[in-house]
Amino acid sequence: MRDLRSFLDAAGGAVFRPAQALSVVYEITALQHALEAQGQHPVVCVERALLADGRHSPIGVVCNLTASRELTARALGFSDHRSAARSFAEGLGRPIAPVVLGRGEAPVQQRVLQGDACDLGELPVLRQHTLDPGPYLTAAHVTTFDPDTGIDNTAIQRCWVKGPRSTSYYPYADSHNDINLRKFWARGQACPVALWIGHHPAVSIAAQAKLGYPESHWNAVGGIIGEPLRLAPSVTHADRILVPADAELVIEGFAPPGALAADGPFGEFTGYMGPQILAPSIEVTAITRRENALYHDYGSGLSDMLVPDNMAMEGKLFELLRGVAPSVANVHVPVSGRRFHAYIQLCRPAPEEPRAALAAALQYRRIKMALAVDEDVDIFSEGEMLWALATRVQWDRDTLTLAEMPCSLDPSWPAGARGIAKLGIDATLPVARRAGSPRPFAPRALAPEAALEGARRLLASADASRWPRA
Amino acid sequence: MTTRAGAGKQGNAIWVQCAACAGWFHVSEALLQARAAKLHCPHCHAQFQEAQAAQVARPC
């Protein structure tokens, strides 16, 4: 059985537990920003969180849970974060149905508050950025269902906590949760919702798999974690909305028909503040949680938020690109490019394959720039990618652009435009003219591997603490 | 030589200035078009209609 605490136990020394108390107002997020600036990605577990009014929260805060690719890959059972593309593509192909526990068996329902006993202000909900209007749930997995089929849908959506029993949530237009909402509203009915927070990262990541509509996310989770997900009927909605039994807490309620209000500005994955928009409201009917619950927060716009989604995107892209270019060996969606860049590695591609792969990658969701390289370039090294770009590309020969393409949340989307411009760059080397002969290109300047190994051993024992870093 | 560099670079953010606290925040076009919804100043929490804003600055 997997849950958040089993992951924290396994993570061991990769967890930073600050000794001092930290406020939910800016201080915990500032710690994440400082870690990010240092290129360090421990899980952060704040056991002494201070609420906005200065009181100690009985609930601890966990953040930076998925800031590390290595740790996130380990959580997913992948041997190496570099294999995320292939591993995700394989995992999604084997859905496993969930199991449903009986009443009273779910850890997440050890404590149940209903009606006016609910108070979101008692949760250590973070205020992250100076321009946020208030505290936001950032790791709320919003589960709704299609009223026509009863099939569940789950996506993480930001939720502005506005009062003890009031929060917004923001499903993007035409997303599956938005479709479900509109269906209920078209019938004049409130949309039932459940927001679950805090689970094993593998469950959290898998629950957000991009699926068809309507298609159950619970089966996809089973496929990724390799075992049935444990679910339980929600207190408010019973069997209509099942919730993960091993989550830390669940907020249940309804989105009343037509209840829309201003929401935001709020920090987006782009690193910019998204504008104030119109979002549905939720009236909270119940809060359930573990006795000693932990509250999970994603650092909006930080690696913590980008790494898991980007790794899942790598899986989808790998599957897509292999269909048009079988020589595609790996894909990396780097955090530096937010969710807009894809690095594609091909292994001895046929002459037409790099462009085919680039064109396909640019069709996928938010990919705005795709860069194709050979197997000798490390696609997980920004320096290597820029080196390939600098030395292997002629811009008038090796690029392709697509105009008026969809790409939601691109901050540079021109006002009034129907779409954005996308760019593909072929930085692969020319192929050899005859089998067995060298590629018609200058060879890399390399030191012998044995000498390099010796140099690494020498450096491992050296004190580098006072060496200049730049 | 052809170039489009800088051509039509007009930005895309709509900024609203709160009449109560003079703070600025940016909003979506869809929110402004939803006449029934009030804007919500993230600085002072004043709620107001677009017509009550001190200023609305749109891209050129």
Side-chain angles (χ1 to χ4, degrees):
Chain A
M1 186 267 292
R2 300 183 190 212
D3 59 14
L4 177 57
R5 48 207 64 218
S6 69
F7 173 76
L8 293 174
D9 288 345
V15 182
F16 173 46
R17 300 175 188 272
Q20 70 183 80
L22 291 173
S23 171
V24 298
V25 182
Y26 305 138
E27 288 186 356
I28 295 175
T29 302
L31 177 60
Q32 278 190 277
H33 279 263
L35 284 167
E36 184 102 349
Q38 292 181 8
Q40 294 179 313
H41 304 296
V43 174
V44 175
C45 190
V46 181
E47 286 155 351
R48 300 174 62 209
L50 300 174
L51 299 172
D53 59 11
R55 285 180 298 136
H56 280 271
S57 167
I59 298 173
V61 175
V62 175
C63 60
N64 238 32
L65 192 63
T66 47
S68 157
R69 278 185 68 97
E70 286 178 10
L71 206 56
T72 303
R74 210 186 308 161
L76 288 160
F78 301 164
S79 56
D80 183 349
H81 76 87
R82 294 162 183 262
S83 69
R86 192 179 293 267
S87 300
F88 253 112
E90 289 169 355
L92 281 176
R94 303 187 302 267
I96 297 174
V99 293
V100 180
L101 306 188
R103 287 205 175 276
E105 292 181 300
V108 76
Q109 293 170 343
Q110 287 168 347
R111 291 192 68 175
V112 177
L113 299 170
Q114 291 181 272
D116 289 337
C118 299
D119 186 355
L120 296 175
E122 293 298 312
L123 301 178
V125 185
L126 270 57
R127 186 163 178 163
Q128 295 194 344
H129 314 103
T130 51
L131 287 175
D132 294 347
Y136 270 81
L137 308 172
T138 56
H141 299 69
V142 180
T143 298
T144 66
F145 63 93
D146 170 20
D148 294 329
T149 63
I151 294 174
D152 61 275
N153 183 71
T154 294
I156 287 184
Q157 272 134 16
R158 75 189 200 200
C159 305
W160 175 12
V161 173
K162 295 183 173 180
R165 294 181 57 192
S166 173
T167 177
S168 68
Y169 77 114
Y170 178 36
Y172 294 146
D174 302 322
S175 65
H176 297 170
N177 270 353
D178 185 52
I179 294 169
N180 289 345
L181 176 82
R182 305 287 165 189
K183 281 187 177 182
F184 276 102
W185 284 10
R187 299 170 187 202
Q189 298 172 3
C191 178
V193 296
L195 284 54
W196 51 276
I197 297 171
H199 212 304
H200 193 284
V203 173
S204 177
I205 294 166
Q208 299 169 72
K210 301 295 179 272
L211 304 174
Y213 178 85
E215 195 173 346
S216 174
H217 285 237
W218 306 138
N219 298 343
V221 172
I224 290 291
I225 66 174
E227 63 188 35
L229 180 67
R230 290 167 23 119
L231 299 173
S234 56
V235 171
T236 305
H237 312 297
D239 291 336
R240 294 204 302 166
I241 295 186
L242 302 171
V243 294
D246 301 305
E248 293 294 318
L249 64 97
V250 176
I251 300 164
E252 301 174 4
F254 292 91
L260 294 163
D263 175 288
F266 188 69
E268 293 285 0
F269 73 89
T270 58
Y272 295 91
M273 300 296 292
Q276 193 164 90
I277 46 86
L278 203 56
S281 302
I282 294 174
E283 291 177 0
V284 174
T285 53
I287 297 175
T288 78
R289 68 172 177 90
R290 292 175 182 245
E291 289 290 354
N292 56 348
L294 294 166
Y295 174 79
H296 177 211
D297 173 86
Y298 275 116
S300 187
L302 298 177
S303 295
D304 183 23
M305 186 192 208
L306 292 164
V307 161
D309 200 42
N310 289 17
M311 288 172 79
M313 284 175 72
E314 288 162 16
K316 282 288 189 184
L317 277 167
F318 184 76
E319 210 173 8
L320 178 70
L321 303 191
R322 293 273 289 187
V324 297
S327 65
V328 168
N330 207 349
V331 179
H332 180 206
V333 178
V335 163
S336 61
R338 302 291 157 166
R339 292 170 186 158
F340 295 124
H341 292 175
Y343 298 161
I344 304 163
Q345 190 174 51
L346 300 101
C347 187
R348 292 183 291 281
E352 74 282 0
E353 284 189 281
R355 281 191 169 247
L358 289 168
L362 296 176
Q363 306 291 327
Y364 185 72
R365 296 185 70 209
R366 297 186 175 115
I367 297 301
K368 182 181 172 183
M369 190 280 285
L371 175 53
V373 295
D374 291 295
E375 70 272 20
D376 70 316
V377 178
D378 181 359
I379 60 171
F380 295 93
S381 162
E382 301 282 0
E384 286 250 319
M385 295 303 287
L386 288 172
W387 172 73
L389 204 59
T391 60
R392 301 184 179 190
V393 175
Q394 288 297 304
W395 298 110
D396 58 346
R397 181 194 63 191
D398 298 325
T399 59
L400 63 93
T401 56
L402 303 178
E404 297 190 337
M405 297 291 289
C407 187
S408 62
L409 293 178
D410 175 3
S412 69
W413 185 307
R418 292 174 56 196
I420 67 152
K422 294 189 170 190
L423 172 68
I425 306 170
D426 177 5
T428 59
L429 293 174
V431 295
R433 292 191 180 85
R434 280 189 310 215
S437 65
R439 285 176 157 178
F441 205 84
R444 290 184 75 155
L446 299 169
E449 185 53 39
L452 280 171
E453 189 54 41
R456 290 186 199 107
R457 279 198 303 273
L458 175 68
L459 290 173
S461 59
D463 176 10
S465 60
R466 298 177 66 187
W467 293 358
R469 288 195 166 272
Chain B
M1 186 170 75
T2 59
T3 178
R4 289 187 63 239
K9 212 165 197 178
Q10 297 164 342
N12 57 16
I14 305 169
W15 285 84
V16 172
Q17 187 180 31
C18 173
C21 73
W24 287 90
F25 60 102
H26 71 310
V27 304
S28 68
E29 182 67 48
L31 177 60
L32 290 182
Q33 287 175 357
R35 300 287 175 192
K38 289 184 174 176
L39 308 178
H40 188 125
C41 176
H43 308 287
C44 72
H45 295 287
Q47 295 186 55
F48 54 90
Q49 301 286 357
E50 179 186 353
Q52 297 162 318
Q55 294 183 69
V56 178
R58 294 177 179 274
C60 300

